[in-house]
Amino acid sequence: MVLLELRDITKRVGQELILKRVSLRVETGEFIAIIGPSGSGKSSLLYIMGLLDRPTSGTILYRNEIIEWKDAVINRLRNQKLGFVFQFHYLIPELNVLENVMAPQLKAGRSYGEAKERALELLTRLGLDAKSKRQVFEISGGEMQRVAIARALANNPEILLCDEPTGNLDTKNTQRVMEIFEELNQEGTTIVMVTHDMSLAERAKRVIEMRDGEIVADR
Amino acid sequence: MKAILFLSLAFLKKRKRQTIVSTLGFAISVTAFIVMSSIMFGFQKYFIQQVIDIEAHISIKPKEEIAEDRLIRRVDNESLIKALGSRPKEKDKILGWRDIMKRLEEHPEILGVAPHLESKGILKYGAKEKPVSLIGIEPFLEARTSVIERFLEKKNLSSLETHKDSIIIGKIVARDLGITETGKRVVLTLPNGQTKIMKVVDFFNSGITNIDASRVYIPLKTLQALLERVDEVNVLIIRIRDVKRAEALARELRAEIKYEVESWQKAYLNFLKIFKIQNMITYMIVFAIITVSAFGIFNIIMMTVMEKRKEIAILMAMGYSSKDITLIFLCIGLITSVLGGLLGFIFAYGILEYLANLDLELEGLLKSKGFILDRSPYYYLLGFVLSFLFSLIASLYPAYRASKLNPVEIFRSL
């Protein structure tokens, strides 16, 4: 089943063409790694897949339906079908660990109690239940990234989009994060991960290589 | 909406110091608004109410001859202009006043009409003398057209009916002459040189300084006899049902009556104008205070937006729309103003309570014990609405700026 499809996606920033007629199909349950040198367009592609950025031309389909670029549609998909994990955790320092994981759920319309319960469930799964009441600055970098993963998973997304998710982590935490991704993928979550690290890319089921705004290899 | 409130409160809670400062700013402006409005309108409303109660709602008097009409110009040597006064052509009296009264009393909007003969005089008590404004009244009719009795310390208006040498004097007139109790005898001297010994039967205390410091009531017939103006009156006072209609009714009567018809609004036009200017100045000050508080809010929200760019970007990545982001920052401003407003209510209530219980003798345009306050909940509501509106305006631009941030640009720049 094709979950997400990009057709002839072009992205122009100023005079520069950063994505050149890129087409890509993401099927349910895939674990895709996107690799390539800096400036090859990997993150731009990820942002378009995650509906954070609008392509200059081309079509995006979700479950074989063309996505209309309307605020309500885009925001609903971002909130309920997609989850983001970035290189930097981007946790909200005004919220504690638990509240950070609750934030997307409250937007989805869950009650405070439901959101809290789900957040605790995810934090327990990621080994952070004991730190749920901690402030963000009171936990380590690896823990922050795990909280960011919990936040991305809060609304049960169908696709997890990760932009260099281990870029700021040490080897031990990188392993831990990769294990989480593999577990999630085994459970059915589709994962698309941008990375520089070939050893991490090798752990994905499919590797897409980009160069100069084009897909040059898909294996 | 719960997500919006959840995040707004979180942003506010983490910035306690700024939140407290801006809340206090709004509290002070709301307090200033309520207290100043209560004092100012309390004074003005009291003054107007006293005027309405004491004075005629509408008065009819002979038209004043314009001084210009009484000038005789003579040119000497083609350059020198001399202006000489001539005698007044009309006598200071209302002809056929009984018929006019009868006609007026039939008008459905008129509650009562009473005749006055007004003149100047001098009161002497012992070695002390004081110029006064004399009003000759018929007590029974006067009671129907004003609430004069309410301002009499001994409620002894009827004495003017039964004793032709009785006199009611203003409280400040009495004080200036050194009269502290009724029953004292004073010498009244009139412009025609007539004098009469009168007995003080009551004191008149309206609270309006210039009235209490000059007004004296005596029986109409006594004054007519002393002035040798038998059965003459020079003012008719009218009491109407709806005081706000006084000017409109006066306009209507002007068409029917050849004398000057003046409403209380016109008679006190200068005071009403001063009140308007006073209100304008006060509100300018209050608006300046609220504006400063609003700038405080603007500053804090703008700073938050600038500092929280990456948090805004991640909220957008989570599915928060531009509208949600706008609402989060608007809520920050509005919560601050609501808290400030509520705190302002408490401060204002406390200050007004203090002022109301202050034992203070005030004598200016009005004479009163302590401040005359109008403690209407309307000022609380208005203060609250104003601070809410100002804070909404102050929050709009930063909130709009926040909503227009592009998450991709932010993620790329970090």
Side-chain angles (χ1 to χ4, degrees):
Chain A
M1 168 84 185
V2 179
L3 201 57
L4 189 71
E5 185 178 352
L6 307 184
R7 285 185 192 161
D8 290 330
I9 295 292
T10 301
K11 179 69 185 175
R12 186 183 288 278
V13 177
Q15 293 299 309
E16 197 185 352
L17 202 56
I18 52 175
L19 289 176
K20 300 168 187 167
R21 295 175 66 88
V22 174
S23 291
L24 173 69
R25 285 175 159 210
V26 178
E27 303 225 0
T28 310
E30 279 196 301
F31 186 168
I32 302 173
I34 302 176
I35 59 167
S38 291
S40 60
K42 331 184 272 297
S43 293
S44 301
L45 183 66
L46 193 82
Y47 292 146
I48 285 173
M49 289 170 83
L51 309 178
L52 275 178
D53 203 4
R54 190 174 185 170
T56 309
S57 67
T59 312
I60 309 171
L61 293 92
Y62 185 79
R63 290 191 177 273
N64 295 320
E65 275 188 36
I66 293 174
I67 294 173
E68 270 188 282
W69 204 272
K70 284 183 178 169
D71 274 359
V73 175
I74 299 295
N75 289 320
R76 188 180 54 78
L77 287 170
R78 276 188 206 160
N79 182 243
Q80 289 168 29
K81 304 292 177 193
L82 306 167
F84 286 93
V85 181
F86 297 89
Q87 181 173 353
F88 187 72
H89 55 79
Y90 295 131
L91 295 177
I92 299 172
E94 282 77 8
L95 306 178
N96 66 24
V97 167
L98 186 76
E99 289 167 340
N100 264 284
V101 186
M102 287 167 66
Q105 300 180 70
L106 293 174
K107 170 61 196 164
R110 284 195 191 149
S111 72
Y112 194 86
E114 285 169 345
K116 191 175 173 184
E117 196 181 327
R118 168 77 178 148
L120 272 172
E121 182 191 314
L122 284 165
L123 289 171
T124 306
R125 179 174 176 182
L126 297 176
L128 290 164
D129 48 327
K131 300 194 173 174
S132 64
K133 297 280 181 196
R134 295 269 181 94
Q135 296 303 310
V136 170
F137 56 83
E138 290 173 333
I139 58 174
S140 71
E143 288 169 333
M144 286 178 185
Q145 196 62 321
R146 277 189 278 152
V147 176
I149 294 170
R151 180 181 63 191
L153 295 171
N155 286 337
N156 278 320
E158 292 188 314
I159 310 179
L160 196 59
L161 299 154
C162 314
D163 189 9
E164 303 275 7
T166 57
N168 274 339
L169 301 181
D170 57 20
T171 317
K172 192 178 150 200
N173 278 308
T174 298
Q175 284 309 318
R176 179 83 180 97
V177 167
M178 286 308 292
E179 281 163 19
I180 294 167
F181 287 160
E182 282 162 349
E183 266 178 49
L184 290 168
N185 183 239
Q186 274 165 20
E187 288 164 13
T189 307
T190 307
I191 296 176
V192 180
M193 177 179 74
V194 165
T195 182
H196 273 109
D197 190 333
M198 273 310 293
S199 66
L200 298 180
E202 294 301 327
R203 294 170 72 166
K205 293 176 185 166
R206 180 178 166 195
V207 179
I208 293 170
E209 189 178 345
M210 291 196 70
R211 200 176 298 273
D212 298 330
E214 288 177 303
I215 294 176
V216 292
D218 188 348
R219 52 183 187 272
Chain B
M1 198 59 200
K2 58 179 174 285
I4 309 292
L5 274 175
F6 172 74
L7 288 164
S8 312
L9 288 171
F11 283 129
L12 276 171
K13 270 194 273 179
K14 279 285 162 164
R15 296 169 163 262
K16 279 196 189 103
R17 198 181 304 160
Q18 288 105 315
T19 305
I20 289 170
V21 169
S22 49
T23 303
L24 277 177
F26 265 103
I28 290 167
S29 49
V30 171
T31 306
F33 179 85
I34 297 168
V35 172
M36 288 173 92
S37 299
S38 299
I39 293 176
M40 205 172 61
F41 288 111
F43 167 78
Q44 291 175 8
K45 281 184 179 174
Y46 179 76
F47 181 83
I48 290 169
Q49 190 56 50
Q50 298 295 87
V51 161
I52 290 167
D53 287 348
I54 301 157
E55 302 287 51
H57 294 170
I58 297 171
S59 58
I60 296 173
K61 46 191 155 187
K63 282 187 179 152
E64 273 183 34
E65 288 180 52
I66 304 163
E68 186 75 9
D69 297 340
R70 287 168 49 203
L71 292 179
I72 299 166
R73 290 201 171 82
R74 201 169 67 195
V75 180
D76 287 344
N77 302 329
E78 293 180 349
S79 60
L80 185 67
I81 298 171
K82 282 185 178 174
L84 302 171
S86 68
R87 285 164 176 249
K89 294 180 192 90
E90 282 188 40
K91 209 173 177 192
D92 175 31
K93 67 175 178 182
I94 295 172
L95 295 169
W97 59 272
R98 282 201 173 82
D99 291 339
I100 297 173
M101 268 182 68
K102 210 172 169 185
R103 259 179 24 229
L104 290 172
E105 277 167 348
E106 284 166 7
H107 197 289
E109 288 192 64
I110 293 173
L111 291 171
V113 187
H116 277 187
L117 181 60
E118 295 182 3
S119 179
K120 299 287 174 197
I122 293 172
L123 273 190
K124 191 173 176 193
Y125 179 68
K128 287 187 180 172
E129 285 183 356
K130 187 163 175 69
V132 291
S133 296
L134 281 169
I135 303 180
I137 59 168
E138 285 196 6
F140 172 70
L141 291 175
E142 193 70 19
R144 276 173 47 197
T145 49
S146 73
V147 287
I148 176 177
E149 199 143 23
R150 210 176 79 198
F151 303 108
L152 297 181
E153 288 190 353
K154 298 196 180 300
K155 313 289 177 214
N156 207 3
L157 185 65
S158 57
S159 284
L160 295 191
E161 196 108 47
T162 49
H163 300 91
K164 61 181 183 182
D165 64 342
S166 53
I167 186 167
I168 295 171
I169 62 176
K171 188 72 183 168
I172 299 173
V173 174
R175 189 191 69 191
D176 292 349
L177 289 173
I179 301 170
T180 53
E181 56 190 20
T182 53
K184 300 289 178 191
R185 292 187 184 275
V186 289
V187 179
L188 173 64
T189 307
L190 290 142
N192 60 0
Q194 289 270 18
T195 58
K196 185 170 175 64
I197 294 171
M198 309 287 287
K199 185 181 167 190
V200 178
V201 292
D202 213 334
F203 299 117
F204 176 80
N205 190 8
S206 70
I208 298 179
T209 307
N210 69 341
I211 292 179
D212 295 345
S214 62
R215 191 165 290 186
V216 162
Y217 291 102
I218 64 171
L220 178 65
K221 283 200 164 47
T222 306
L223 187 58
Q224 284 170 336
L226 286 168
L227 289 170
E228 293 160 357
R229 295 176 67 177
V230 179
D231 206 35
E232 279 186 19
V233 302
N234 54 10
V235 179
L236 290 178
I237 63 163
I238 301 171
R239 185 166 185 81
I240 60 172
R241 285 180 205 285
D242 180 5
V243 287
K244 288 176 193 151
R245 288 257 314 135
E247 182 51 34
L249 194 58
R251 266 201 304 272
E252 192 185 304
L253 295 177
R254 262 174 226 136
E256 298 170 19
I257 295 165
K258 64 174 184 171
Y259 295 102
E260 188 177 326
V261 183
E262 192 180 55
S263 64
W264 68 268
Q265 290 104 322
K266 204 173 167 197
Y268 279 83
L269 191 64
N270 286 344
F271 285 103
L272 298 179
K273 275 185 181 167
I274 289 168
F275 290 162
K276 259 190 187 165
I277 294 167
Q278 193 185 32
N279 295 351
M280 265 172 59
I281 294 169
T282 310
Y283 279 125
M284 277 163 69
I285 295 167
V286 173
F287 281 138
I289 299 169
I290 298 180
T291 306
V292 170
S293 314
F295 268 110
I297 290 264
F298 173 85
N299 206 20
I300 285 166
I301 300 179
M302 202 67 205
M303 291 271 287
T304 311
V305 169
M306 303 311 275
E307 283 173 19
K308 295 284 148 200
R309 289 171 74 241
K310 63 176 191 287
E311 283 79 7
I312 293 166
I314 197 68
L315 286 172
M316 287 176 162
M318 280 185 217
Y320 282 82
S321 63
S322 300
K323 194 177 137 202
D324 293 330
I325 302 295
T326 307
L327 284 174
I328 289 170
F329 288 96
L330 278 183
C331 268
I332 292 175
L334 296 182
I335 290 169
T336 310
S337 78
V338 168
L339 288 177
L342 294 175
L343 205 59
F345 286 2
I346 298 168
F347 289 167
Y349 184 83
I351 292 172
L352 290 177
E353 196 64 18
Y354 171 74
L355 291 178
N357 294 314
L358 210 58
D359 192 16
L360 199 67
E361 282 279 347
L362 295 173
E363 191 173 329
L365 194 56
L366 288 175
K367 188 170 178 282
S368 69
K369 281 201 170 188
F371 284 94
I372 300 158
L373 303 168
D374 177 8
R375 300 182 71 175
S376 162
Y378 170 74
Y379 303 124
Y380 287 78
L381 183 70
L382 194 61
F384 189 78
V385 170
L386 275 178
S387 78
F388 194 79
L389 276 181
F390 270 67
S391 121
L392 184 70
I393 293 165
S395 319
L396 268 177
Y397 178 69
Y400 170 79
R401 279 281 302 269
S403 74
K404 291 294 159 198
L405 291 175
N406 181 340
V408 173
E409 278 175 17
I410 295 166
F411 291 136
R412 284 189 188 285
S413 67
L414 295 168

